[in-house]
Amino acid sequence: MAAPSCGAPGVWIRGTGPRSGSLFTLVSKAFCSTAAATSPLNAQRLAERLRAQQREQETKKPEPTNPIQRRVQELVRFTGQLQRVHPNVLAKALSRGILHQDKDLVVISKPYGLPVHGGPGVQLCISDVLPILAKILNGHKAEPLHLCHRLDKETTGVMVLAWEKDVAHQVQEMFRTRQVTKKYWAVTVRVPMPSAGVVDIPILEKEVQGQKQHHKVGKLPPTGVKHQLRVHLSFGLDCPVLGDHKYSDWNRLAPQKLPVGILKKLGLKQSKARHIPLHLHARQLMLPALGSRKEELHLVCRLPRFFAHSLHRLGLEMPNQDQNGDFEAGHLRAQ
């Protein structure tokens, strides 16, 4: 009896995520035509097998020798893991970064790459784990926490939650009426001119070219509208935030193009610039008196590790603190 014929086809898949656009072979194992005829491979099982083999190949890849590239790769892996972890794991991670907690509010340090709300392609977000976080902090009978405001997916820093919906509405009204003092730290490509002032440049929404439909949005700075700081820094002051791959070019979506000097200091090539994270950090919030609390609440969140490393590599000074506890961001820029 003749042996069944076997082939060894290669399966080619275009990568998604951090290595989007690369073309590589995932499997080249032989499949017997006889076995295939008697036991057809389920499409879902095949997809799972391919994903498992892709993960196995990625773990076998040698680590880059450049320390900056290693940190970028670690950041890419970390942000991808945030979307894949169990909600309980994410809630525990957030509980370890509590900045302040009282009977009205819980203030967390928002991680990089974690969306606040759900949406297309979002597997896990902060709002999903608020019931779990509340139980971790206040027992199994605790009601879910409530969001008081939002931060962009790529923005890090101070984020305020409330135990009661009424308190959340009060804090939201404080944000809306500009009673909350907000301070962001950012590394910008080029130096803003002038170094201080009020940006009052209305920017309209526009569709941009790409494989999928995309829009870029901007409004006036004090309004708290989505992406306002990034829009005004890039298109108003011609100083995009380092790692802002959405608003560095108005007409198309593409990785940010950086000056040779910045790339050299970061130890990166332009082809790797797409992995540079957004360097925008919600450093401080000052909330007015609320409920039984009669004094202003001053909240501060330390820089994420990648942000601090970039400052060191770029030779930038940390903002100075004056006698009133204020921070000047005059030196926080990439030239």
Side-chain angles (χ1 to χ4, degrees):
M1 181 176 178
S5 60
C6 296
V11 179
W12 292 83
I13 290 183
R14 184 168 293 278
T16 59
R19 298 187 302 157
S20 180
S22 62
L23 202 62
F24 52 94
T25 305
L26 285 184
V27 295
S28 59
K29 290 187 177 180
F31 292 93
C32 284
S33 58
T34 303
T38 58
S39 179
L41 189 62
N42 181 277
Q44 183 177 354
R45 287 171 54 200
L46 176 60
E48 291 174 354
R49 180 182 298 179
L50 294 177
R51 284 194 290 267
Q53 291 174 347
Q54 179 181 358
R55 288 194 295 268
E56 183 180 353
Q57 286 196 1
E58 288 177 350
T59 58
K60 291 180 179 179
K61 289 193 174 183
E63 290 289 331
T65 56
N66 185 291
I68 296 298
Q69 291 181 345
R70 282 203 305 268
R71 285 196 290 268
V72 169
Q73 191 175 85
E74 289 170 0
L75 185 67
V76 171
R77 283 200 300 260
F78 173 70
T79 55
Q81 289 169 355
L82 285 177
Q83 292 289 301
R84 294 192 296 266
V85 300
H86 191 278
N88 290 350
V89 176
L90 177 58
K92 288 179 181 178
L94 294 177
S95 69
R96 290 193 291 267
I98 296 293
L99 303 175
H100 172 83
Q101 182 179 349
D102 57 35
K103 67 176 185 178
D104 294 315
L105 303 174
V106 173
V107 184
I108 63 173
S109 172
K110 182 193 170 296
Y112 174 82
L114 183 63
V116 175
H117 299 285
V122 175
Q123 300 177 22
L124 189 62
C125 60
I126 289 179
S127 60
D128 289 340
V129 301
L130 292 184
I132 305 172
L133 179 60
K135 288 178 171 57
I136 292 174
L137 298 177
N138 212 20
H140 291 293
K141 295 184 179 180
E143 294 294 323
L145 286 155
H146 301 274
L147 294 167
C148 295
H149 63 119
R150 68 178 302 278
L151 292 174
D152 294 344
K153 174 183 175 181
E154 296 87 1
T155 303
T156 58
V158 181
M159 187 161 193
V160 183
L161 311 171
W163 287 109
E164 301 292 338
K165 186 176 291 186
D166 290 344
V167 175
H169 288 162
Q170 292 180 48
V171 177
Q172 290 165 6
E173 184 65 12
M174 290 177 179
F175 275 94
R176 190 187 69 81
T177 56
R178 308 175 197 172
Q179 299 178 55
V180 179
T181 301
K182 298 176 287 184
K183 294 191 177 182
Y184 289 79
W185 286 7
V187 177
T188 63
V189 181
R190 294 180 293 275
V191 181
M193 292 296 292
S195 59
V198 177
V199 180
D200 188 6
I201 306 172
I203 303 176
L204 300 178
E205 182 177 3
K206 177 184 177 181
E207 185 175 347
V208 296
Q209 297 177 355
Q211 294 181 349
K212 298 181 180 179
Q213 188 179 25
H214 294 279
H215 292 82
K216 294 184 177 181
V217 186
K219 293 289 183 180
L220 300 179
T223 61
V225 176
K226 178 181 179 181
H227 297 168
Q228 59 177 352
L229 293 176
R230 295 164 61 183
V231 170
H232 281 101
L233 282 170
S234 182
F235 302 136
L237 300 177
D238 191 30
C239 298
V241 178
L242 179 65
D244 193 340
H245 307 293
K246 183 171 185 176
Y247 290 105
S248 292
D249 191 308
W250 179 239
N251 293 310
R252 63 193 183 100
L253 287 170
Q256 186 179 56
K257 289 190 176 181
L258 294 173
V260 175
I262 292 180
L263 290 171
K264 185 176 180 180
K265 289 180 179 180
L266 293 176
L268 295 172
K269 297 179 180 179
Q270 179 58 49
S271 61
K272 300 295 183 181
R274 67 185 185 277
H275 296 311
I276 298 176
L278 183 74
H279 286 62
L280 181 61
H281 179 68
R283 168 67 176 180
Q284 291 178 281
L285 279 183
M286 284 166 277
L287 290 172
L290 177 70
S292 59
R293 177 171 45 82
K294 304 303 181 184
E295 68 281 353
E296 186 178 66
L297 183 61
H298 184 195
L299 303 163
V300 180
C301 183
R302 68 180 183 180
L303 288 172
R305 184 177 299 177
F306 75 86
F307 201 123
H309 284 162
S310 294
L311 292 183
H312 175 71
R313 293 287 299 193
L314 293 168
L316 300 175
E317 301 176 14
M318 293 289 286
N320 298 318
Q321 185 175 8
D322 64 17
Q323 296 179 350
N324 298 322
D326 239 358
F327 289 88
E328 300 176 356
H331 297 291
L332 192 60
R333 57 199 181 192
Q335 301 185 26

